[in-house]
Amino acid sequence: MARANGKIFNLNQIARANLEKWSGILSPVARPIRTCIWKKPELGWTKLNTDGSVDRENAGYGGLLRDYKGDPICAFVSKALGDDIFLVELWAIWRGLVLALSLGIKVIWVESDSESVVQSINGDRPYSQKASSCLKHIWEEWWLHRVPRLRRGNKPWIRQ
């Protein structure tokens, strides 16, 4: 309860009325919520999780390397140039793989929520000229080992 100009107001009722009044204007585009469960990699594997983000003013990416017990090995974040989410997601994977190589990691499972980037890396989808240099670096440094139990956006990688 609140008092203003000698009147008593129920704040919950005011909040609810304002929410109903403005919800059509202020609510963001809603996407269905997906439940995801992170799983540890198998014994001897390292898992790289990456993500990228772009908004009107900023772009960036990050990632995390974890061992087979799920313990963090190393993490990274960086600002990115441009506003192309495909390239930002691709740079996140590339940067994580470069970091893994520098740490001597040769067997890695890569998880990304960008299905289009994963498909391009696997050669299953066309890509832009801007992405070709980064993709060539990934292809030259890593050999992709495909297995049938992949979830959307996830691929295991082995370095030869």
Short mmCIF file of all heavy atoms in Angstrom, two decimals, residues 1-5 7-23:
data_model
loop_
_atom_site.label_atom_id
_atom_site.label_comp_id
_atom_site.label_asym_id
_atom_site.label_seq_id
_atom_site.Cartn_x
_atom_site.Cartn_y
_atom_site.Cartn_z
N MET A 1 0.83 -1.17 0.00
CA MET A 1 0.00 0.00 0.00
C MET A 1 0.88 1.25 0.00
O MET A 1 1.93 1.28 0.61
CB MET A 1 -0.89 0.03 1.24
CG MET A 1 -1.85 -1.13 1.32
SD MET A 1 -3.02 -0.99 0.01
CE MET A 1 -4.36 -1.88 0.63
N ALA A 2 0.42 2.24 -0.73
CA ALA A 2 1.12 3.52 -0.79
C ALA A 2 0.10 4.64 -0.70
O ALA A 2 -1.07 4.48 -1.08
CB ALA A 2 1.91 3.62 -2.07
N ARG A 3 0.54 5.79 -0.20
CA ARG A 3 -0.36 6.93 -0.05
C ARG A 3 0.17 8.07 -0.92
O ARG A 3 1.34 8.40 -0.88
CB ARG A 3 -0.42 7.34 1.40
CG ARG A 3 -1.40 8.44 1.69
CD ARG A 3 -1.40 8.79 3.17
NE ARG A 3 -1.88 7.70 3.99
CZ ARG A 3 -3.11 7.61 4.49
NH1 ARG A 3 -3.97 8.57 4.24
NH2 ARG A 3 -3.48 6.61 5.22
N ALA A 4 -0.72 8.65 -1.75
CA ALA A 4 -0.36 9.80 -2.58
C ALA A 4 -1.57 10.71 -2.69
O ALA A 4 -2.68 10.24 -2.98
CB ALA A 4 0.09 9.35 -3.96
N ASN A 5 -1.38 12.00 -2.46
CA ASN A 5 -2.46 12.98 -2.52
C ASN A 5 -3.65 12.58 -1.64
O ASN A 5 -4.81 12.74 -2.02
CB ASN A 5 -2.93 13.21 -3.96
CG ASN A 5 -1.85 13.79 -4.83
OD1 ASN A 5 -0.97 14.50 -4.32
ND2 ASN A 5 -1.89 13.51 -6.11
N LYS A 7 -4.76 9.68 -1.03
CA LYS A 7 -5.41 8.43 -1.45
C LYS A 7 -4.49 7.27 -1.15
O LYS A 7 -3.27 7.38 -1.21
CB LYS A 7 -5.75 8.45 -2.94
CG LYS A 7 -6.77 9.50 -3.31
CD LYS A 7 -7.08 9.42 -4.79
CE LYS A 7 -8.10 10.49 -5.16
NZ LYS A 7 -8.41 10.46 -6.58
N ILE A 8 -5.08 6.10 -0.89
CA ILE A 8 -4.31 4.89 -0.63
C ILE A 8 -4.38 4.02 -1.89
O ILE A 8 -5.47 3.77 -2.42
CB ILE A 8 -4.86 4.13 0.59
CG1 ILE A 8 -4.71 4.99 1.85
CG2 ILE A 8 -4.13 2.81 0.75
CD1 ILE A 8 -5.31 4.39 3.08
N PHE A 9 -3.20 3.55 -2.35
CA PHE A 9 -3.12 2.73 -3.56
C PHE A 9 -2.48 1.39 -3.23
O PHE A 9 -1.57 1.31 -2.42
CB PHE A 9 -2.24 3.42 -4.62
CG PHE A 9 -2.82 4.71 -5.12
CD1 PHE A 9 -2.42 5.92 -4.57
CD2 PHE A 9 -3.75 4.70 -6.15
CE1 PHE A 9 -2.94 7.11 -5.04
CE2 PHE A 9 -4.27 5.89 -6.61
CZ PHE A 9 -3.88 7.10 -6.06
N ASN A 10 -2.97 0.35 -3.86
CA ASN A 10 -2.35 -0.96 -3.77
C ASN A 10 -1.31 -1.03 -4.88
O ASN A 10 -1.65 -1.01 -6.07
CB ASN A 10 -3.42 -2.05 -3.95
CG ASN A 10 -2.83 -3.45 -3.84
OD1 ASN A 10 -1.72 -3.70 -4.26
ND2 ASN A 10 -3.62 -4.35 -3.26
N LEU A 11 -0.03 -1.11 -4.52
CA LEU A 11 1.05 -1.10 -5.51
C LEU A 11 0.99 -2.29 -6.46
O LEU A 11 1.33 -2.17 -7.64
CB LEU A 11 2.41 -1.04 -4.81
CG LEU A 11 2.69 0.25 -4.02
CD1 LEU A 11 4.05 0.18 -3.36
CD2 LEU A 11 2.61 1.46 -4.94
N ASN A 12 0.55 -3.43 -5.98
CA ASN A 12 0.43 -4.60 -6.86
C ASN A 12 -0.60 -4.37 -7.95
O ASN A 12 -0.40 -4.73 -9.10
CB ASN A 12 0.07 -5.86 -6.06
CG ASN A 12 1.22 -6.36 -5.23
OD1 ASN A 12 2.38 -6.12 -5.56
ND2 ASN A 12 0.92 -7.04 -4.14
N GLN A 13 -1.72 -3.73 -7.60
CA GLN A 13 -2.75 -3.45 -8.60
C GLN A 13 -2.25 -2.43 -9.63
O GLN A 13 -2.50 -2.56 -10.82
CB GLN A 13 -4.02 -2.94 -7.92
CG GLN A 13 -4.76 -4.01 -7.15
CD GLN A 13 -5.95 -3.44 -6.39
OE1 GLN A 13 -5.98 -2.26 -6.06
NE2 GLN A 13 -6.93 -4.31 -6.12
N ILE A 14 -1.51 -1.43 -9.16
CA ILE A 14 -0.97 -0.43 -10.08
C ILE A 14 0.04 -1.07 -11.02
O ILE A 14 0.01 -0.84 -12.23
CB ILE A 14 -0.31 0.74 -9.28
CG1 ILE A 14 -1.38 1.50 -8.52
CG2 ILE A 14 0.47 1.65 -10.22
CD1 ILE A 14 -0.83 2.51 -7.53
N ALA A 15 0.92 -1.90 -10.47
CA ALA A 15 1.94 -2.57 -11.30
C ALA A 15 1.27 -3.47 -12.34
O ALA A 15 1.65 -3.47 -13.51
CB ALA A 15 2.89 -3.38 -10.42
N ARG A 16 0.27 -4.22 -11.92
CA ARG A 16 -0.44 -5.12 -12.84
C ARG A 16 -1.14 -4.33 -13.95
O ARG A 16 -1.07 -4.69 -15.12
CB ARG A 16 -1.44 -5.97 -12.06
CG ARG A 16 -1.74 -7.28 -12.70
CD ARG A 16 -2.50 -8.23 -11.79
NE ARG A 16 -1.82 -8.34 -10.51
CZ ARG A 16 -2.42 -8.31 -9.33
NH1 ARG A 16 -3.71 -8.21 -9.24
NH2 ARG A 16 -1.74 -8.41 -8.21
N ALA A 17 -1.78 -3.23 -13.59
CA ALA A 17 -2.47 -2.40 -14.58
C ALA A 17 -1.48 -1.80 -15.58
O ALA A 17 -1.74 -1.79 -16.80
CB ALA A 17 -3.25 -1.30 -13.88
N ASN A 18 -0.35 -1.31 -15.09
CA ASN A 18 0.67 -0.76 -16.00
C ASN A 18 1.28 -1.83 -16.88
O ASN A 18 1.54 -1.60 -18.06
CB ASN A 18 1.76 -0.04 -15.21
CG ASN A 18 1.31 1.31 -14.73
OD1 ASN A 18 0.50 1.96 -15.38
ND2 ASN A 18 1.82 1.74 -13.59
N LEU A 19 1.50 -3.01 -16.32
CA LEU A 19 2.07 -4.10 -17.10
C LEU A 19 1.13 -4.48 -18.24
O LEU A 19 1.55 -4.65 -19.38
CB LEU A 19 2.34 -5.30 -16.20
CG LEU A 19 2.98 -6.52 -16.86
CD1 LEU A 19 4.35 -6.16 -17.41
CD2 LEU A 19 3.10 -7.66 -15.87
N GLU A 20 -0.16 -4.60 -17.93
CA GLU A 20 -1.13 -4.93 -18.97
C GLU A 20 -1.20 -3.83 -20.02
O GLU A 20 -1.29 -4.09 -21.22
CB GLU A 20 -2.51 -5.17 -18.34
CG GLU A 20 -2.58 -6.44 -17.54
CD GLU A 20 -3.87 -6.58 -16.73
OE1 GLU A 20 -4.79 -5.74 -16.91
OE2 GLU A 20 -3.95 -7.52 -15.93
N LYS A 21 -1.14 -2.58 -19.57
CA LYS A 21 -1.25 -1.44 -20.48
C LYS A 21 -0.08 -1.37 -21.46
O LYS A 21 -0.25 -1.11 -22.64
CB LYS A 21 -1.32 -0.15 -19.66
CG LYS A 21 -1.41 1.12 -20.48
CD LYS A 21 -1.48 2.32 -19.55
CE LYS A 21 -1.45 3.61 -20.32
NZ LYS A 21 -1.47 4.78 -19.43
N TRP A 22 1.13 -1.62 -20.96
CA TRP A 22 2.34 -1.44 -21.76
C TRP A 22 2.92 -2.73 -22.33
O TRP A 22 3.85 -2.69 -23.12
CB TRP A 22 3.42 -0.74 -20.93
CG TRP A 22 3.03 0.65 -20.55
CD1 TRP A 22 2.55 1.06 -19.35
CD2 TRP A 22 3.04 1.80 -21.39
NE1 TRP A 22 2.27 2.40 -19.38
CE2 TRP A 22 2.56 2.88 -20.62
CE3 TRP A 22 3.40 2.02 -22.72
CZ2 TRP A 22 2.44 4.15 -21.14
CZ3 TRP A 22 3.28 3.30 -23.21
CH2 TRP A 22 2.81 4.35 -22.44
N SER A 23 2.41 -3.88 -21.96
CA SER A 23 3.03 -5.14 -22.37
C SER A 23 3.08 -5.32 -23.88
O SER A 23 4.05 -5.87 -24.41
CB SER A 23 2.33 -6.33 -21.72
OG SER A 23 0.99 -6.41 -22.19
#
